[in-house]
Amino acid sequence: MNSPFSTSSLTKACDNGVSSDLCLANAQLVLQDQVLTGAVTIEQGVICDITEGDHVPTGAVDCASDLVLPGLVELHTDNVERHIEPRPEVDWPHLPALIAHDAELASTGITTVFDAMRVGSIHSGKGRYTDYARKLADELLAARAQGYFKISHFLHLRAEICSETLLEELAAFGPSDRVGIVSLMDHTPGQRQFRDLTALKTYVAKKRGMNDAEFAEHVETLLALQKRLGAKHEAGAVKEARRLGAVLASHDDTTADHVETSAGNGVGFAEFPTTVEAAKACRVNGIAVMMGAPNLIRGGSHSGNVAAEDLARADLLDIVSSDYVPSALLLSAFRLADIWNDLPRAIATVTSNPADAVRLQDRGALKTGLRGDVLRVRKIEQTPLLRGVWSQGNRVG
């Protein structure tokens, strides 16, 4: 299936305009299979030349042996939701929230983002949540069209299986909406991410201010929705992903059976498998494994699931997502570089691998002909210090 956001269409639909020429020289260039001293030149927003050596041409930026690597590609972030609802029930003005979100990501080295938005709502009970994705997507796409953003934005629709209105909300989107990902989010209590109801209670009850009785009612509501609509919603979301030309992702696969179902649905990558068993099954089925950067940095999952580092050491990790901490994405790549003793492989988990997973062929690597999305980084002990961010050759951070 062809993607609606092919390389040619993206080249024509620039996010922030093209830049004047830029040359970053005397740098340690992180290429796909090696690190070498050289220079990268960007013209009209595209990488046009990569040369080896420490020569600094007239007018070039002398990077003084800093690392230069591709801009980061973020597939799953809750950050836009955090900006529009900074506290429960607080609805922040959306345009300034979107602009602040965009600027925050740019400041962390993310130059391409798939903004996660929930589709599927529950309109009753203390655990209710209402639809918002179509309106927010319209606002985001309008802001992009007006050139308000520094970086490149696509949509990631998080399809809540345990909801009342999933298919109606998905139907409001079309192939022109830059929907790059549809993920199947099954938050049925007692399985996947929330096999332990204590973890679910800690997460939901605190966020929604539920007492014990209200939490019990919420659990019963979700179980009833799964029984009544779960199969219909899953099949419908898979169909809608195809209609939108989006990559399908699974979420919180826990067993080999979960992964077999994901493979049958045509899933391209698995978001946050919760066990080694599921990650191994993804390998067998050719499904890329994505884990969260906070899990890697903290040394474990906040929900008690498998540690990202364990998957990395078992060669079962392909993609990293910042999840709920944008600045963690770059830091996680350098953490992986220490684990694997392989910087290009680690950088690929936040650049070329996610780009490949969503069929973006025009970014994710330092390579002639690709977008001029690049970062300048200096390593201070074990911490990467971001010293410059360019999107299509424009300085954005």
Side-chain angles (χ1 to χ4, degrees):
M1 175 172 47
N2 291 328
S3 169
F5 41 97
S6 64
T7 301
S8 59
S9 65
L10 283 172
T11 302
K12 296 174 184 176
C14 297
D15 292 272
N16 49 19
V18 297
S19 70
S20 56
D21 296 350
L22 170 71
C23 179
L24 300 176
N26 189 23
Q28 297 300 303
L29 305 180
V30 183
L31 305 181
Q32 291 176 288
D33 58 356
Q34 63 177 318
V35 179
L36 61 79
T37 301
V40 57
T41 301
I42 298 168
E43 293 181 357
Q44 295 297 300
V46 175
I47 297 173
C48 67
D49 191 33
I50 294 175
T51 57
E52 189 172 359
D54 59 5
H55 174 65
V56 180
T58 301
V61 176
D62 185 350
C63 292
S65 295
D66 287 347
L67 295 163
V68 168
L69 50 134
L72 310 184
V73 179
E74 173 56 68
L75 301 188
H76 175 119
T77 173
D78 302 334
N79 200 56
V80 67
E81 292 182 339
R82 181 176 66 83
H83 277 276
I84 66 171
E85 189 181 14
R87 288 187 176 181
E89 307 300 329
V90 174
D91 185 18
W92 202 253
H94 286 184
L95 181 58
L98 289 167
I99 292 172
H101 159 67
D102 170 79
E104 181 182 0
L105 296 191
S107 74
T108 66
I110 295 170
T111 55
T112 298
V113 60
F114 286 71
D115 293 308
M117 301 180 185
R118 173 186 47 77
V119 283
S121 303
I122 297 176
H123 293 287
S124 60
K126 192 67 178 285
R128 67 184 179 275
Y129 39 89
T130 58
D131 58 304
Y132 72 96
R134 178 67 268 180
K135 181 177 184 295
L136 182 62
D138 286 340
E139 293 169 317
L140 186 149
L141 294 170
R144 174 185 173 272
Q146 292 296 320
Y148 297 157
F149 293 150
K150 295 182 176 184
I151 67 172
S152 180
H153 290 257
F154 299 92
L155 302 185
H156 173 166
L157 299 183
R158 304 176 64 183
E160 284 288 354
I161 303 301
C162 287
S163 67
E164 298 169 343
T165 58
L166 172 58
L167 300 186
E168 295 91 330
E169 292 183 41
L170 279 171
F173 288 85
S176 64
D177 282 321
R178 288 172 70 88
V179 178
I181 302 168
V182 173
S183 57
L184 302 174
M185 314 285 291
D186 188 352
H187 287 124
T188 304
Q191 54 98 55
R192 295 182 183 260
Q193 181 181 3
F194 293 118
R195 288 174 291 168
D196 180 359
L197 290 186
T198 302
L200 176 62
K201 186 175 182 179
T202 299
Y203 179 77
V204 176
K206 182 178 181 181
K207 185 175 182 180
R208 296 294 175 181
M210 296 178 185
N211 59 33
D212 289 348
E214 289 167 336
F215 174 71
E217 180 183 354
H218 178 61
V219 168
E220 289 303 315
T221 296
L222 294 180
L223 290 172
L225 284 171
Q226 168 60 246
K227 184 176 181 180
R228 181 164 60 92
L229 296 172
K232 177 182 177 181
H233 279 176
E234 181 173 332
V238 171
K239 183 178 179 181
E240 287 294 278
R242 295 191 186 112
R243 178 181 67 84
L244 294 169
V247 173
L248 189 69
S250 64
H251 193 80
D252 297 330
D253 286 337
T254 300
T255 67
D257 286 343
H258 285 161
V259 177
E260 290 295 332
T261 299
S262 295
N265 285 332
V267 159
F269 67 96
E271 298 185 308
F272 319 133
T274 66
T275 63
V276 174
E277 174 189 343
K280 287 182 176 179
C282 286
R283 271 287 180 272
V284 171
N285 285 278
I287 297 173
V289 173
M290 182 174 84
M291 293 297 286
N295 181 322
L296 187 64
I297 300 306
R298 294 176 65 251
S301 162
H302 70 84
S303 300
N305 297 314
V306 69
E309 182 172 341
D310 290 345
L311 296 188
R313 293 189 183 279
D315 193 25
L316 294 171
L317 177 59
D318 305 298
I319 301 168
V320 179
S321 158
S322 70
D323 199 4
Y324 56 92
V325 185
S327 62
L329 194 58
L330 183 62
L331 181 59
S332 69
F334 280 81
R335 181 66 57 85
L336 284 174
D338 290 337
I339 292 172
W340 287 334
N341 192 30
D342 188 335
L343 183 60
R345 179 187 179 190
I347 295 301
T349 66
V350 295
T351 56
S352 60
N353 290 357
D356 289 344
V358 291
R359 304 192 294 263
L360 287 179
Q361 301 173 344
D362 68 339
R363 67 194 74 192
L366 297 184
K367 189 176 180 181
T368 56
L370 300 192
R371 280 173 57 116
D373 298 347
V374 295
L375 312 180
R376 178 183 175 186
V377 177
R378 177 170 294 177
K379 190 174 180 182
I380 307 297
E381 297 180 352
Q382 302 305 310
T383 300
L385 174 64
L386 195 56
R387 305 195 69 203
V389 182
W390 290 263
S391 175
Q392 290 186 298
N394 296 294
R395 182 74 182 259
V396 297

